[in-house]
Amino acid sequence: MTGRLWLLALIVAATALAVGYVLGGAWPGALTASAVAGLWWLARRRRWGDWTADLGLVSLFGAAAFGAQMGMAGGWMLVSALAALGAWDLDRFARRLEGAGRVMDRRAMEERHLRRLALALGVGAVGGGAALALRVRLSLGVAILLGLLAVIGLSVAVRLLRRESD
Amino acid sequence: MWRRLLLSLLACGLLLWGLLALNSNLLALAIPLIAYLGAALLNAPGELRLSGVRTLSADRVSQQTPVTMRLTVSNEGGHLEEVAIEDRLPPRLESVAGEPRALTSVPPGDRVTLEYTVRATRGLFDLSQVQVTVCEPLGLLRRQVTLAVPGRLLVMPTAPRLRQLSVRPRRTLAYAGPVPARQGGSGVDFFGVREYQPGDSLRWINWKAIARHPTGFFANEFEQERITDVGLILDARRRSDRRRAEGERLFEHAVSATAALAQMFLSQGNRVGLLVYGRFPDWTFPGYGKVQHERILRALAQAETGESMVFERLENLPTRFFPARSQLVIISPLCADDLPTLVRLRAHGYHVLVISPDPVSFEVGGLEPQPEVTLAARIARIERTILLRRLLEAGIQVLDWAVERPFDLAVHAALGRSPQWFRAVGVRP
């Protein structure tokens, strides 16, 4: 089940990105997105290292960010980013299952994981959609201040994550 | 750690880029990442309260005997979503059925049981390290603990059963046994003729001697048979071991031979001690019977080859461990510089028997038959033959054992002792 959903998420990520680029008239972007997705699929099939999923996520997010900067449709870029994040998570989950030896009650574990993932992505989709829909005018100073706050907030979050994990 | 950093950097970069470029589309892309990180943080695993119990179907087995292990891990804390349990097996312990690791979820108060079967060639295995890794459902945050779940498995070396072995040390002990004592008395082998003494059996009277010397009255005397002190010395120096490409080691054959010899000498009632001479001299004090057999097998189970500057050569062999003029059995493939030490042992009055697993045929058996290999083997064999011949010339018994041949057959062919009724009529094997 995880493998099929991963493939679906990868296809959605690449397709959304390609559609966004095509609608913006940037065919090379669409081809790049397809190539990244194809490489990720190949890496998974050939069981290359864990780093391939990270590289795929960064590439798809980079392509989506570049598209957003270049004025492509924000909705398609957001859908692509959400699907890429889902594919990255499912890739890692599948690898954990494969490397675990014996998985007890595999189906229930997969269902619970998918529920949590769907919840996280759902919250992300709502938040991202809201960010696309809402328009707030910011001066450069306020933007820099917000940026600093965001960086500090994220660094605090990372420190907290690290402490929780240790 | 790397993945958390990756997501954080991505989110941070997108936020900064979006704010600096005043582009809400870029900000929108950062939000799923932040939501994902937040979800992971909310479900972070709490304090782990785990305990484990291990049971083994047997804790002392002979080699290659399967042992079923059951490892139970109990969760005395909160719900654990993704729990990876891995029983870290020592390298030489091989899992043959089932898996020593599993991924599962454990509700509070529940327990997980792993059952699997292992097998080993030889050794004492301490099984105490169970690694438990708990992840939150998204797998981003993890907590790892090493549970102490003690267990010990002793895998004894197996040994072929040997019959009698012909040894003749100069010194024997007081009790009756199978070793010729070089003293007249009651026994089987003819020892000499002496004056008849009251109490001698009439069957012992030597009528031919009386006929030749009518003034006297003579009786035959037989060689007494007693038990003796036997010192087994297993050569565990790394330099004398050989290893084939497929992992087979000459040392394992030597260990098996030592176990067989110990079993045979002890079953005859002898007092047997063992010295494993490798990284350090591992000494098993001499003793009798089944308890000593168990001690020796335990020492052999743990015997490993090792290197040491001091014990690199046999010249530091601590001979004082062994009673003077007793029987020494040295199980060693032999190195060229061992000859003087062995000759010296013989000169000190020990009766020395060298059981030498043949390293040349062992190594050649694992190599492709190429001209260079054949030539090298021939040279090595000549050197070995010269070494063994010098040992024989010094009065040392030698068994050159090609390990492809079963040890019991090799021993009986070269060192076997004929049955008593054969010896009584003067027949030798």
Side-chain angles (χ1 to χ4, degrees):
Chain A
M1 181 163 63
T2 306
R4 281 201 296 270
L5 281 173
W6 167 78
L7 190 60
L8 182 69
L10 188 62
I11 291 169
V12 169
T15 310
L17 205 55
V19 168
Y21 273 106
V22 168
L23 290 177
W27 282 94
L31 288 175
T32 308
S34 309
V36 168
L39 277 175
W40 192 346
W41 174 81
L42 192 68
R44 183 88 184 88
R45 255 187 93 80
R46 299 232 168 143
R47 296 175 187 279
W48 292 349
D50 288 3
W51 55 271
T52 52
D54 301 335
L55 190 65
L57 177 78
V58 172
S59 305
L60 287 177
F61 256 84
F66 186 72
Q69 179 62 32
M70 298 307 289
M72 310 295 162
W76 288 113
M77 298 299 122
L78 179 63
V79 170
S80 169
L82 284 164
L85 187 58
W88 177 77
D89 176 275
L90 291 171
D91 190 329
R92 285 173 49 249
F93 182 60
R95 282 176 201 268
R96 285 207 299 280
L97 293 182
E98 284 164 13
R102 187 161 66 103
V103 182
M104 297 174 177
D105 203 2
R106 186 188 186 108
R107 192 162 185 85
M109 187 177 275
E110 281 181 328
E111 282 172 4
R112 280 197 298 273
H113 181 87
L114 290 175
R115 266 203 302 274
R116 304 276 179 153
L117 178 64
L119 191 67
L121 292 183
V123 171
V126 170
L132 287 178
L134 295 174
R135 295 284 161 191
V136 181
R137 282 201 173 276
L138 297 174
S139 64
L140 184 63
V142 175
I144 288 172
L145 188 69
L146 281 174
L148 279 174
L149 278 175
V151 169
I152 290 165
L154 269 173
S155 66
V156 169
V158 168
R159 207 177 305 140
L160 202 63
L161 283 168
R162 194 189 294 175
R163 203 179 62 199
E164 285 295 327
S165 190
D166 295 338
Chain B
M1 173 66 197
W2 155 247
R3 302 219 150 74
R4 294 195 300 269
L5 193 66
L6 175 78
L7 288 192
S8 309
L9 283 175
L10 260 181
C12 219
L14 287 168
L15 272 179
L16 280 178
W17 190 0
L19 287 168
L20 289 175
L22 292 175
N23 187 337
S24 63
N25 289 357
L26 285 171
L27 290 176
L29 292 184
I31 288 173
L33 294 171
I34 295 168
Y36 190 88
L37 283 168
L41 191 58
L42 281 175
N43 295 303
E47 193 65 36
L48 300 182
R49 290 175 60 203
L50 300 166
S51 62
V53 177
R54 184 196 300 277
T55 53
L56 282 77
S57 62
D59 57 2
R60 180 195 177 283
V61 291
S62 54
Q63 64 187 53
Q64 298 300 344
T65 306
V67 175
T68 303
M69 286 204 199
R70 183 186 280 263
L71 175 72
T72 305
V73 176
S74 307
N75 177 19
E76 289 145 14
H79 182 84
L80 303 174
E81 183 53 46
E82 260 187 55
V83 185
I85 301 168
E86 185 178 1
D87 194 2
R88 289 190 163 176
L89 297 180
R92 285 188 300 145
L93 208 57
E94 176 197 7
S95 168
V96 288
E99 285 269 2
R101 59 209 173 108
L103 184 70
T104 183
S105 63
V106 194
D110 207 352
R111 61 183 61 182
V112 184
T113 302
L114 267 66
E115 194 170 308
Y116 54 95
T117 306
V118 293
R119 201 169 55 182
T121 49
R122 180 178 62 81
L124 176 66
F125 300 97
D126 263 321
L127 307 152
S128 58
Q129 300 274 304
V130 176
Q131 189 173 294
V132 181
T133 308
V134 179
C135 289
E136 45 77 33
L138 298 176
L140 214 55
L141 299 176
R142 61 180 58 197
R143 217 176 257 270
Q144 201 169 61
V145 287
T146 304
L147 287 183
V149 190
R152 187 173 261 211
L153 175 64
L154 183 65
V155 183
M156 302 289 201
T158 50
R161 185 168 286 272
L162 301 179
R163 281 176 290 166
Q164 283 211 320
L165 190 67
S166 174
V167 290
R168 273 185 87 87
R170 292 188 182 175
R171 178 176 165 272
T172 50
L173 298 173
Y175 302 104
V179 179
R182 299 171 193 258
Q183 284 178 12
S186 58
V188 175
D189 289 347
F190 177 77
F191 188 69
V193 178
R194 61 165 167 74
E195 283 279 337
Y196 178 81
Q197 289 170 1
D200 282 353
S201 168
L202 288 178
R203 296 177 64 190
W204 294 0
I205 295 172
N206 191 328
W207 296 107
K208 287 181 181 172
I210 294 169
R212 282 198 198 103
H213 305 281
T215 53
F217 204 61
F218 301 100
N220 285 339
E221 202 176 24
F222 298 91
E223 189 171 17
Q224 286 187 35
E225 293 187 339
R226 294 182 178 173
I227 59 167
T228 188
D229 273 309
V230 179
L232 299 172
I233 302 171
L234 173 64
D235 182 358
R237 294 171 298 167
R238 189 162 291 156
R239 63 190 283 241
S240 60
D241 190 19
R242 298 288 181 280
R243 193 184 288 259
R244 278 183 183 166
E246 61 267 31
E248 189 187 350
R249 290 169 65 195
L250 191 61
F251 182 66
E252 294 301 326
H253 293 281
V255 169
S256 171
T258 312
L261 289 165
Q263 197 270 335
M264 190 269 298
F265 282 123
L266 284 167
S267 68
Q268 289 175 350
N270 297 300
R271 184 162 67 176
V272 181
L274 170 72
L275 177 72
V276 181
Y277 189 82
R279 198 157 53 86
F280 59 92
D282 182 8
W283 174 232
T284 305
F285 205 77
Y288 301 92
K290 287 183 178 173
V291 174
Q292 180 68 2
H293 185 227
E294 180 70 18
R295 275 194 212 117
I296 288 179
L297 282 185
R298 278 177 184 266
L300 288 174
Q302 296 172 64
E304 260 315 316
T305 54
E307 272 177 324
S308 158
M309 293 284 279
V310 179
F311 302 112
E312 190 187 346
R313 298 163 71 118
L314 276 187
E315 63 191 10
N316 289 321
L317 192 73
T319 48
R320 292 198 175 193
F321 283 165
F322 305 103
R325 298 185 298 157
S326 63
Q327 173 72 47
L328 296 185
V329 183
I330 300 172
I331 302 95
S332 166
L334 294 176
C335 300
D337 52 19
D338 294 343
L339 179 71
T341 311
L342 296 176
V343 172
R344 206 177 62 234
L345 283 175
R346 178 70 184 137
H348 285 174
Y350 289 106
H351 193 266
V352 182
L353 164 63
V354 175
I355 307 276
S356 183
D358 183 3
V360 182
S361 65
F362 179 79
E363 258 190 303
V364 170
L367 296 171
E368 293 290 323
Q370 292 171 343
E372 297 86 357
V373 172
T374 312
L375 181 63
R378 204 173 150 199
I379 294 167
R381 201 161 277 137
I382 289 169
E383 286 176 348
R384 182 171 164 79
T385 307
I386 292 168
L387 176 67
L388 298 185
R389 195 167 290 165
R390 283 185 181 161
L391 287 174
L392 285 169
E393 283 165 3
I396 294 170
Q397 267 184 300
V398 179
L399 168 60
D400 185 13
W401 173 38
V403 295
E404 284 76 20
R405 194 174 183 207
F407 183 60
D408 46 347
L409 293 182
V411 165
H412 291 139
L415 307 165
R417 203 170 172 214
S418 53
Q420 284 192 343
W421 62 272
F422 257 48
R423 279 184 280 138
V425 293
V427 179
R428 289 273 166 200

